[in-house]
Amino acid sequence: MRDVEVGVFGGSGLYELFGEVERIEVDTPYGPPSAPVAVSEVMTDRGPIGVAFLPRHGTDHDLPPHRIDYRANVWALHSLGVRRVLAPCASGSLQPDIHPGDIVVCDQLVDRTSGRPSTFFDGPTVNHVSFAEPYCSELRSIVVDRAIATGVSVHRSGTVVVVEGPRFSTRAESHWYRRQGWHVINMTQYPEAVLLRELGICCCAIAVVTDYDAGVDDRPGVGPVSQDEVYAAFAAAMPVTRQVIVDVLGSMPSERSCGCAQATNGLEPDVPPVAG
C-alpha cells in the first residue's frame, strides 16, 4: 500500500476525478467507516503524494449526517498514517454577500448538533483538548491562497454552524443564525473536526456554498432550497474543488509547523479492541 499523507473527506464524485484508486477495507475499534478508503497517488509540483479519500455519506450517499460514524471515519484515516485532512463540505450561505459557487475557508465552528459521539476520550484517560481554533491555521492559509488562484470567489474566514439534520432549517432558525453573524451552515463538520484535533491531525474545512439558507434570500417568488439543488450544485463544484486540492497538495511543506500535533496533550485515547 502507498504511504498516505493526506486525507480528504469527499465522495466518489470527487475521487473519481483523480484517476486510479486502490480501495482499502479498514477495520476500526468503532466499527467500519462509511465506505472503503480510496487511496490514490496524486502527482503534484513536489512529486507524488499518497491521498486517502473517504466519502462521509457512503459510496452511494446512503448515510444521513446524523447516522455517520464520525469516529470510525476519522480513525480509519488515522490508522493509514494521515496527518492532514482537507474537508470539502456542501454548505448553505447565511449572509447575503456569500453566494452559491463561493468557497468559505472556515476558521470557526458552532456546534448545534445533538447526541453525536464526539470524543475518543471516553475514559479512563481524560483529555481536554484545546479547540479555541478548530481549524489548522497553516493549512487554512495554503487553501486560501490556492483557492484564490483558481479564480473562484473565496472568503478567507468564516464561522460554520453545524446542525443536526437531516432536515434543513426553518426560516426562524436561519434568521437567528444570520443575526449571530455566522457565515455558512452545514451538517457534518461536527464532530469531525474535534475528533481530528484529538488525534493531532490538521484539518481545513472547505465550505462549498451550494445555496442561500432559508432565511437569507427572501425575494418574492424564491422558495427554500431543495435537496436536489444542493446535490447538483455540489457536483458542479467538483472540478474546482479538485483543482484546489491538487494545488494545495503541491504547496504543503513536508513538515508541519502548526500546533495541531501538540493539541493532544501527549495523550492517546483508550480504545476498544477491533472486533473480530
Side-chain angles (χ1 to χ4, degrees):
M1 188 182 70
R2 305 174 179 92
D3 292 333
V4 181
E5 180 179 344
V6 178
V8 178
F9 282 119
S12 59
L14 178 61
Y15 63 71
E16 285 171 356
L17 296 174
F18 287 86
E20 181 183 354
V21 297
E22 175 187 3
R23 287 175 173 81
I24 301 172
E25 299 279 357
V26 181
D27 292 323
T28 86
Y30 306 96
S34 297
V37 182
V39 176
S40 179
E41 192 171 73
V42 178
M43 291 303 301
T44 74
D45 291 343
R46 65 182 183 95
I49 295 178
V51 182
F53 298 89
L54 180 54
R56 296 182 186 91
H57 296 281
T59 304
D60 298 319
H61 204 103
D62 53 2
L63 289 171
H66 66 294
R67 296 296 300 275
I68 294 171
D69 192 332
Y70 294 93
R71 290 192 295 186
N73 284 355
V74 169
W75 195 268
L77 295 185
H78 169 66
S79 70
L80 295 177
V82 165
R83 298 182 301 149
R84 294 176 169 119
V85 165
L86 299 170
C89 54
S91 304
S93 168
L94 292 170
Q95 301 298 332
D97 61 334
I98 298 175
H99 309 293
D102 291 3
I103 285 178
V104 180
V105 185
C106 300
D107 64 332
Q108 281 297 319
L109 176 155
V110 174
D111 172 31
R112 294 284 299 168
T113 64
S114 175
R116 299 182 181 185
S118 60
T119 183
F120 292 115
F121 289 93
D122 280 329
T125 301
V126 176
N127 190 18
H128 303 285
V129 299
S130 174
F131 203 51
E133 304 297 334
Y135 298 107
C136 174
S137 59
E138 179 182 62
L139 195 51
R140 283 189 59 255
S141 177
I142 297 169
V143 170
V144 167
D145 289 346
R146 295 299 88 207
I148 290 173
T150 68
V152 70
S153 177
V154 178
H155 302 263
R156 295 174 175 270
S157 62
T159 296
V160 55
V161 55
V162 189
V163 296
E164 181 68 3
R167 68 171 178 85
F168 293 125
S169 301
T170 67
R171 290 193 186 275
E173 290 167 336
S174 186
H175 280 301
W176 179 51
Y177 301 150
R178 177 181 172 185
R179 288 196 300 270
Q180 304 312 304
W182 303 333
H183 300 89
V184 290
I185 185 167
N186 169 263
M187 298 179 188
T188 59
Q189 275 301 291
Y190 192 88
E192 189 174 279
V194 72
L195 291 169
L196 290 166
R197 176 61 52 84
E198 286 190 339
L199 297 180
I201 300 172
C202 301
C203 176
C204 180
I206 305 172
V208 178
V209 180
T210 57
D211 61 280
Y212 296 107
D213 205 47
V216 178
D217 193 349
D218 289 329
R219 292 174 296 173
V222 177
V225 68
S226 70
Q227 172 178 284
D228 288 344
E229 289 174 308
V230 170
Y231 287 177
F234 195 61
M238 283 301 98
V240 171
T241 305
R242 176 199 180 279
Q243 188 61 54
V244 171
I245 290 171
V246 170
D247 292 348
V248 169
L249 293 174
S251 301
M252 292 186 309
S254 298
E255 299 299 325
R256 299 186 290 174
S257 61
C258 59
C260 296
Q262 289 70 47
T264 64
N265 299 317
L267 298 174
E268 295 286 341
D270 303 296
V271 295
V274 174

